[in-house]
Amino acid sequence: MSTVHAPTAAPTDRCDLDRIEDAVAFIRTHDTAGVLAALLPGLDPAERAGLAAHSAFTHAAVLVFPESVAGLREELRAGGLDVGPVTPSVVVRDRLARRYGRPADTLDVGILRAPVTAADGRPCEVEIFALAVPAGAGQDAVVAAERARQHEAHLALEVTRPDAVVLAGLRETLLTRGRMTADGGGHNAHEGSTVLYFRCPEDTGTPYTRLELNARGAHPGVLGRHLGEGTPAQSAGRGGHDGADGHRGPAERLLHLMTGAWATQALAVAADLRLADHLAAEPRPDLARLADLTGTHRESLGRLLRYLATLGVVTTADPADGYLLTPIGELLRTDAESSLHPLALMYGGPFYRSFGELGHSVRTGREGFDHLFGAHHFEYFAERPELADLFDRSMAASSAMFGPIPGLVDLSAVRTVVDVAGGNGELLSRILRAAPHLEGVLLERPHAVEAARATMAKAGCADRCRLEAGDFTRAVPAGGDLYLLSRVLHDWDDEQCLAILRRIAAAMPEHAELLVVERLLPQDGQDSLAVPWDVHMLCNVGGRERTSAHYADLLATAGLRLTSHTELPLDAALLRVRKA
Ligand SMILES: C[S@@+](CC[C@H](N)C(=O)[O-])C[C@H]1O[C@@H](n2cnc3c(N)ncnc32)[C@H](O)[C@@H]1O
């Protein structure tokens, strides 16, 4: 296929056809070694050659959204791609259903496969997952989020002579040297094969976010270890990194869990010393140089760096050659986009001290923060400008979760957006920037309004945004077309949430929509950042994380209706709400 041409009045969106075309071009220009170089830029040539000797590139996969899967097949065939018959996809359909809280039977996902020759002349395939989106199907949010995040785009390797030792070695190299994360897998008894899924590091520079490693036969030992590896959140939570924990016994794992607070403090000290900034400013500074730059005790700093290396924050082949930041460590730079530097100081500072009062919270149901500091954290921070500023910057640190929101909502008919407790204005400014016809109103407590003013000015939206100092339990600005309530409800118990939601419902005109951003507790015991953050809310704030069903109940009691929810980055979700 030279180009995928959409026929006139093509039902399939051009961007989807481009994505397929890109996948075909990727296959044609890559052999196995090329795929490994693209996905694993951190590997040295010998490691890459070792992997390439035992595996072969088999396919590139993308997810697209035609009006009909059969129609897409015809378009692709007309464009010269030799597409085989459509087969239904259960795995991707169920993943989409779980991700977006939709019934699986409302999602029609088919698989199309077409042969494409790889750069080395070997036969490969492009694998096209197609979710049929007929006009008016109400799948806009799913389509927008998947196009933005490309969860299903992946590359696949086949282990050429699979045995348990080879498979274990490949897996180990991908996890430890390739900085990939275990992301599930399974044994298909019907096909007699084992598949291990990996999530790629974020800096690969390809649109492919996952790698699939297929091996003929059953490999229960390797598969069991891979499944036990868990998600990145679990790995971070237990203080280990990469694949190392998969090989630890129960006592070692428990010791790592028990000493998680040491990792919190090591990160906070690294942040306080601005180690990441120093490591980024010079090529591979060595220990003596870093000790000079940070004014620290050289030998002790070396010991801290060794610990940070085991946490996956810095790396060094030999300390004498100097230290480098890993992609995780890069996020501690103060100038990184969505830098987590302020959060490292917050979780290692005031919230570290108050988390020591968790026992009090569990025994009494009351906040550990108030028990230690004598005031609710909002009051305590409000009276201490330095802490209030750190809190605002901490909230901004996880604002990556807001990225897809302007693309998920049709803003064309909206005129006024009201952000209730909008914090430093990060979310509202992103929405105002995305649609220059919009006017914004941001309600905040008096001490927080100045931070929002600075954000609006920086975003060039100051003249389109009114800042109101006020209290959402007393009044919420009326007459908006779109209301935002981001990371507010989790700060409060159900009774207080109802008071806030009733104020908002009273202020909303009939046509208005409310967007709620929160982390959702999983209903099925799965891992999510919402789970540890729920305990943080209990101890430090007096609020809680909730399931979508819990939010739906609260909203209904306040005269509102949850219409859908969509995944956002960092395990957050966008809940879309209308008046009941
Ligand atoms: C967790 S922050 C979320 C900020 C912002 N919406 C975001 O997602 O970044 C909660 C915000 O609620 C504000 N807040 C707390 N009580 C309030 C009240 N009674 N009226 C208005 N805002 C309040 C706080 O000042 C804080 O900025």
Side-chain angles (χ1 to χ4, degrees), residues 380-507:
Y380 187 82
F381 288 177
E383 285 164 15
R384 291 165 179 77
E386 259 183 51
L387 282 182
D389 175 56
L390 181 61
F391 180 76
D392 282 338
R393 289 187 290 119
S394 301
M395 293 308 293
S398 38
S399 62
M401 66 174 65
F402 299 151
I405 294 177
L408 290 171
V409 183
D410 179 3
L411 296 169
S412 57
V414 175
R415 287 287 161 273
T416 306
V417 187
V418 179
D419 193 349
V420 180
N424 73 348
E426 183 64 38
L427 174 58
L428 183 58
S429 72
R430 285 175 186 239
I431 291 183
L432 294 182
R433 267 204 318 263
H437 69 280
L438 294 178
E439 303 273 324
V441 181
L442 184 140
L443 175 74
E444 249 302 341
R445 289 155 61 98
H447 79 273
V449 164
E450 286 316 309
R453 196 183 307 284
T455 309
M456 291 300 162
K458 200 167 153 205
C461 304
D463 56 338
R464 290 192 283 133
C465 184
R466 195 175 83 235
L467 303 172
E468 272 194 24
D471 178 346
F472 53 43
T473 59
R474 292 172 185 271
V476 165
D481 306 299
L482 185 66
Y483 283 76
L484 310 175
L485 188 65
S486 163
R487 303 189 285 182
V488 172
L489 294 176
H490 75 164
D491 288 336
W492 306 100
D493 65 22
D494 284 3
E495 203 179 315
Q496 290 158 319
C497 285
L498 281 175
I500 300 166
L501 290 171
R502 286 191 171 117
R503 285 278 177 222
I504 295 175

Side-chain angles (χ1 to χ4, degrees), residues 253-436:
R253 282 184 174 227
L254 188 56
L255 285 169
H256 272 271
L257 291 173
M258 284 171 177
T259 55
W262 299 352
T264 306
Q265 274 313 319
L267 291 169
V269 172
D272 191 40
L273 296 174
R274 301 201 166 216
L275 264 181
D277 287 353
H278 294 306
L279 284 162
E282 296 179 14
R284 288 180 187 257
D286 66 10
L287 179 56
R289 176 73 180 144
L290 286 169
D292 276 353
L293 288 167
T294 54
T296 49
H297 181 253
R298 188 183 304 180
E299 195 225 341
S300 304
L301 179 64
R303 291 158 73 177
L304 174 67
L305 283 163
R306 182 168 55 200
Y307 182 36
L308 290 171
T310 69
L311 296 175
V313 176
V314 300
T315 181
T316 177
D318 176 345
D321 295 338
Y323 295 84
L324 284 171
L325 284 174
T326 64
I328 295 176
E330 290 280 346
L331 291 171
L332 289 176
R333 288 172 61 169
T334 53
D335 62 354
E337 198 185 334
S338 297
S339 165
L340 297 187
H341 181 267
L343 271 179
L345 295 177
M346 186 59 107
Y347 289 136
F351 284 150
Y352 181 87
R353 292 181 60 202
S354 51
F355 214 78
E357 304 297 313
L358 178 62
H360 169 79
S361 295
V362 173
R363 284 190 191 91
T364 64
R366 304 187 64 80
E367 293 106 280
F369 192 99
D370 301 35
H371 188 58
L372 180 71
F373 292 116
H376 185 273
H377 93 89
F378 282 139
E379 314 299 338
Y380 187 82
F381 288 177
E383 285 164 15
R384 291 165 179 77
E386 259 183 51
L387 282 182
D389 175 56
L390 181 61
F391 180 76
D392 282 338
R393 289 187 290 119
S394 301
M395 293 308 293
S398 38
S399 62
M401 66 174 65
F402 299 151
I405 294 177
L408 290 171
V409 183
D410 179 3
L411 296 169
S412 57
V414 175
R415 287 287 161 273
T416 306
V417 187
V418 179
D419 193 349
V420 180
N424 73 348
E426 183 64 38
L427 174 58
L428 183 58
S429 72
R430 285 175 186 239
I431 291 183
L432 294 182
R433 267 204 318 263

